[in-house]
Amino acid sequence: MIRRLVPLCLFAAAALILGALTPPTSAGGKDKKAPEIPPRTGTSETIHLFNGKNLDGWEGYEDLWSVKDGVIIAKSTKPINYSTYLLTKRKFSDFRLIFSAKLAQSEMHSGVGIWGKQFQTPPKYNNAKETVTDPKAERTEFTYQGQLVMFPTEWGLYDLYRRHGAINLSKEIRQLAKDAGKQHGWNDMEILAQGNRIRLAVNGKLVVDWRDPQPELVNEGPIGLQLHSNTVPQEMQFKGLVLTTFPEEKMTTVK
């Protein structure tokens, strides 16, 4: 059981000795033990979400998402008021996703949205009570509500348009990911999402093992690649994106 007051060095030692970190029992600093929802069962298949050539099987703004040399490129040259996503047309619950991502321009984090849904009417700026009424005009047709696995810069977890930062992990745990990751290089990652449990490996190191204390918020949904809202030009790149449905309960890239 990960406790927030355990020094960072003990986390690292445990990872080296045991090869894994056990899941924390709280979210957002609240002493609430998360229930242990077991992995769901279903047909296991391996799916190449990205064919390396085009964005077949995905949907998002075509002026922001493109493919070059086998890489998905998310790029903005003008301010983006709302984070936008490239979404899979298929929905998933339990899965393993192996991919690589690179922050090519700006210092803004990105992420992968899971267990959520396409969300076209988010609150207006600064989480105001008023919501967007014209998604096409406001360019919110491809926003996302759900759990976000963040990288790089702000490694951790976030709940988009629901609990916000309330599910984020402790600074010590997020530091493990920063130490394993690269700010502007390619990061090889594995997300294992089963039951209400999210595990993340970065460049061969297990850095996150967390259970959602509100399993009613875990739902089958599309995978969403994030291009974050920003006032400056930015570019994020993704490749690989091989997903296995209803996988074995183990991390395959942890060394």
Side-chain angles (χ1 to χ4, degrees), residues 35-51:
E36 296 187 8
I37 306 300
R40 298 168 183 81
T41 58
T43 302
S44 181
E45 62 175 317
T46 297
I47 304 165
H48 290 262
L49 297 179
F50 175 46
N51 62 20

Side-chain angles (χ1 to χ4, degrees), residues 1 17 19 55 78-79 83 96 98 114 123 149 151 159 164 191 225:
M1 180 183 301
I17 295 172
L55 296 178
K78 299 178 180 179
S83 295
R96 172 185 292 109
I98 296 178
I114 69 173
V149 180
F151 51 81
D159 196 14
H164 301 290
I191 297 173
L225 309 182

Side-chain angles (χ1 to χ4, degrees), residues 74-245:
K75 187 173 184 178
S76 63
T77 57
K78 299 178 180 179
I80 296 179
N81 293 325
Y82 297 90
S83 295
T84 190
Y85 294 78
L86 185 68
L87 302 171
T88 58
K89 294 180 180 180
R90 287 189 60 173
K91 297 180 179 180
F92 305 96
S93 59
D94 285 36
F95 63 86
R96 172 185 292 109
L97 178 64
I98 296 178
F99 67 104
S100 298
K102 177 182 178 180
L103 179 60
Q105 185 180 9
S106 89
E107 299 302 320
M108 183 62 73
H109 73 262
S110 179
V112 171
I114 69 173
W115 288 343
K117 63 182 180 180
Q118 187 173 352
F119 188 56
Q120 297 190 359
T121 55
K124 289 201 171 183
Y125 309 127
N126 300 320
N127 296 321
K129 292 182 179 180
E130 183 183 2
T131 60
V132 168
T133 56
D134 189 342
K136 185 174 183 179
E138 299 269 15
R139 302 212 84 191
T140 62
E141 296 166 286
F142 299 102
T143 52
Y144 195 90
Q145 183 185 66
Q147 292 86 333
L148 180 73
V149 180
M150 298 190 299
F151 51 81
T153 308
E154 296 294 335
W155 295 87
L157 298 171
Y158 196 85
D159 196 14
L160 301 159
Y161 297 112
R162 290 188 303 205
R163 293 167 292 182
H164 301 290
I167 75 168
N168 210 353
L169 306 176
S170 69
K171 182 178 179 180
E172 289 80 8
I173 296 175
R174 286 184 281 121
Q175 187 63 46
L176 289 176
K178 287 186 178 182
D179 291 343
K182 304 171 185 176
Q183 180 64 9
H184 289 290
W186 283 105
N187 288 291
D188 298 325
M189 288 177 274
E190 176 182 0
I191 297 173
L192 183 60
Q194 295 177 300
N196 64 330
R197 186 180 184 185
I198 298 173
R199 280 174 276 186
L200 171 67
V202 178
N203 298 322
K205 296 182 180 180
L206 181 62
V207 296
V208 170
D209 191 341
W210 178 84
R211 287 188 183 274
D212 197 317
Q214 293 182 255
E216 69 273 13
L217 297 181
V218 176
N219 298 288
E220 183 181 71
I223 303 296
L225 309 182
Q226 186 191 59
L227 179 61
H228 203 285
S229 58
N230 210 338
T231 58
V232 300
Q234 62 182 322
E235 181 177 334
M236 193 73 196
Q237 301 177 1
F238 300 87
K239 63 182 179 180
L241 295 159
V242 178
L243 184 145
T244 301
T245 60

